[in-house]
Each structure stands twice: as structure tokens, then as C-alpha cells.
Amino acid sequence: MAFEFVANNLTQNVTASSASRIDRRLLRDIDDPFELEHAEFKKLYRVSPDIVMGIADRLHENLRGQRISAISEEKQVLCALRFYATGCYQRPVGEQWGISMSQSSISRCIHRVTDAINEKVLFDEIKFPMTQEERQAAKEVFSSAPAPFVGGTIGAIDCTHVSILAPKVHEEAYVNHHGYHSINVQMICDPNLKILNVNAKFPGARHDAYIWSSCAARRAMQRAHENGNRHMFLIGDSGYPLEPWLMTPLPNQPEGTPKFRYNETLCKARNPIERSFGVLKGTWRCLSRQRVLLYEPGFAGKIVNACSTLHNIRLREQSFDIDDIDPILVEHAVTNSEETFNSISSAGKRVQERLIANVFS
């Protein structure tokens, strides 16, 4: 008798589970998010329907399913976009109108779309200027900015923290100076908030200067300098070491002096990197401090890359209102340069002094 009772319960549970899957599938077929008004669609998914269709086409090879009942590429992209936009748990994402998926399906979609963007789209949309033509174009963009620095600037650099779940391995390395677990993400952008480089591989306890010393962008800048391209540099804050290809502020300068004017101009010119962090985290709320990415650090970094890629796509398509920008101020630890950088720092000092003498005196 007891065996029959258990068997009946199991049968009922299996039947209920099958009915739930069928209900979700029917809802996905009936509810079409692309029928929403344009403004409502962008409010939910942060991008226009045309951008979603374009991304789905670019990721087709990675996202297409083998079964007739497979979730479409467009629905997979929408699922990931909704997660990026809200940063909420996977189950509530699946229960929203137009998505109608189980938690496990949401998880698979987020992973598949994020991996596909990193593989297929990231390096097409986020490009650090490497050729002479690209560098000259970057210089012209900065020269024509509302708050230009001096000729030769190609980008503004800074780091921001993205909160993550405490990892199981080397947990202590991810506790940042604010006291929570994070990855420390370095970005370089232009005055139009376009991201030129993103590095989301380092734990939160790493200083900005350490990340810079280890990144490919620094090696590219140093190599260009050594090859004779001496009039090209990035601008950063005091968390970075002064180098011939990286200009930083001078502390405690009297008002009205050339060095004060240099500081003032540099700080205004590097404002776009703070604004880009504000736009990025305000649009893709999964990266904001109020959310926590519940993934291991490697995949959390891929999500940062995916959101940065989408940020650039939105910029190109003019898919957001510049008045919606909400700047995020980021605190930085001021670090001392290591001994191995002393000669480079001295060369940077000479470049800095020459700039001050020629431009700000």
C-alpha cells in the first residue's frame, strides 16, 4: 500500500513537471517581446530590437539548437540581456513576460550568450588603437573633446570594482580596500565614452598600478614609445605611476601655477572614464555595487566583458540618452612605484615637465 502511494506521488510530480515545461513553451510561443513598444522594449532589455536581432545573427553558430523545440537565438539573447540589465536571480528572470523559462534554462542561456559574446563579438567591438592610423584618429577624438588635455592623448584609464560572490579558492585575494569581494576591472575609454580596452582578470585586492603593470595595453604603449612614437600617452589618476606614455596629476600644487593648471586640465579630460563607469553600471545593473555576481571570478569577468561590448554597441547605435548618465565616483588607493619602474618614472617626469613648460606656463 505504501509503495503504491509513493508511486502515485512520483507519477503526479512527473506529470506536473511535464505540464510546467509545456506551459512555459506555450508562453514563449505566444508572448513575443518584439511586439512591445520601442520605448518599453528598451526599458526592459536596454537595447533596441534591431540590436538584439543583430547580436543573435552574430552569435547564431554558438546559440543554435539541434531540436525543433530548442530556444531560439533571439530568446537566448533576450534572456541574457534581461539578466545583465537587472542583476536579479535567475528564476525571476525566467518568470518575466516574454521569457518564460525555467531556472536551469536561464542559467544555460546566460552562460552560452556570455561565452559567445566573448568569443565572437568582444574583439570586434573593443579595440585598443594599435596602428598609426588608429592612434592618429584617437588623438583627434581627444583633441576635439569638450575638455581636451593636450595633443597626443589617446585615452583615459581607471579601475572600478565589480562585486562578486566570495570564491572558494584564494578568497582573501578578492577582498578589496572597501571590505567586500570583487574583481578590479581596468578600462580605457575615449571622450565619447567608448571603451577601448577592458581587463577584468584581477582580484579586488590588486592595486590599479599592479594591473596596469601587467596588462597588454601598457606593453603596446611602451613598445610604441621605444619605436619612436614619443608624442602619445594615456591619462590616469594618482593610483597609477607616472610614465612617458601615462600622465598623472601632481599632488598639492598652489592655485594659479602652471602645475595647478596642468592638474585641472588633466582631471577634466579624464572625466569620461568616470562617466563611462556610471553609464555601464547604470545600464547593466548586474555590475553595480547593489548587486553581487554569483559566479566564480573567471565567468564574472566574462560578464563584465559582455556588458562592455554591449555598451559600445549601444554607443554606435546611439541607443541611449546622454542625459541619463549618472557618474559613479570611485576611490583609489595611492600606491608607490616599484624600484624596477624608477628609470621609467624619471623619463615620465621629463615628459611631464616638458608638457607643463610648453602648454601650461
Side-chain angles (χ1 to χ4, degrees), residues 207-226:
H207 291 304
D208 299 0
Y210 179 89
I211 298 173
W212 169 243
S213 70
S214 307
C215 77
R218 181 184 181 274
R219 293 193 294 272
M221 294 293 290
Q222 182 174 9
R223 187 165 54 250
H225 181 83
E226 292 170 349

Side-chain angles (χ1 to χ4, degrees), residues 34-50:
F34 293 98
E35 294 180 353
L36 289 169
E37 292 185 3
H38 189 78
E40 183 65 20
F41 187 96
K42 286 180 62 177
K43 183 178 179 181
L44 288 173
Y45 301 106
R46 302 296 195 262
V47 295
S48 67
D50 289 341

Side-chain angles (χ1 to χ4, degrees), residues 60-133:
H60 172 71
E61 292 297 323
N62 297 66
L63 302 183
R64 65 178 177 180
Q66 302 299 320
R67 297 180 300 174
I68 297 177
S69 59
I71 300 171
S72 68
E73 293 94 335
E74 292 81 7
K75 283 291 179 75
Q76 292 182 63
V77 171
L78 289 174
C79 162
L81 290 175
R82 189 60 185 155
F83 169 75
Y84 300 154
T86 61
C88 65
Y89 291 110
Q90 295 172 357
R91 190 177 298 279
V93 171
E95 292 173 351
Q96 292 179 4
W97 185 91
I99 294 180
S100 303
M101 297 184 199
S102 66
Q103 180 273 325
S104 58
S105 294
I106 294 293
S107 179
R108 286 193 294 270
C109 288
I110 292 172
H111 277 81
R112 293 183 71 185
V113 172
T114 301
D115 287 339
I117 290 176
N118 276 261
E119 179 185 341
K120 295 287 188 180
V121 187
L122 173 64
F123 297 108
D124 290 335
E125 297 295 340
I126 299 180
K127 296 180 180 179
F128 190 71
M130 297 296 291
T131 66
Q132 190 60 38
E133 292 77 14

Side-chain angles (χ1 to χ4, degrees), residues 145-174:
F149 182 52
V150 294
T153 309
I154 65 169
I157 184 171
D158 207 349
C159 286
T160 187
H161 289 276
V162 174
S163 180
I164 65 169
L165 184 70
K168 296 179 180 179
V169 180
H170 299 303
E171 174 269 338
E172 72 287 348
Y174 291 87

Side-chain angles (χ1 to χ4, degrees), residues 225-259:
H225 181 83
E226 292 170 349
N227 289 337
N229 197 340
R230 303 298 174 87
H231 196 59
M232 181 182 72
F233 37 79
L234 303 172
I235 51 176
D237 65 8
S238 55
Y240 290 94
L242 177 65
E243 296 177 339
W245 47 85
L246 175 58
M247 293 293 103
T248 59
L250 291 160
N252 305 320
Q253 298 303 315
E255 188 172 352
T257 63
K259 291 183 178 180

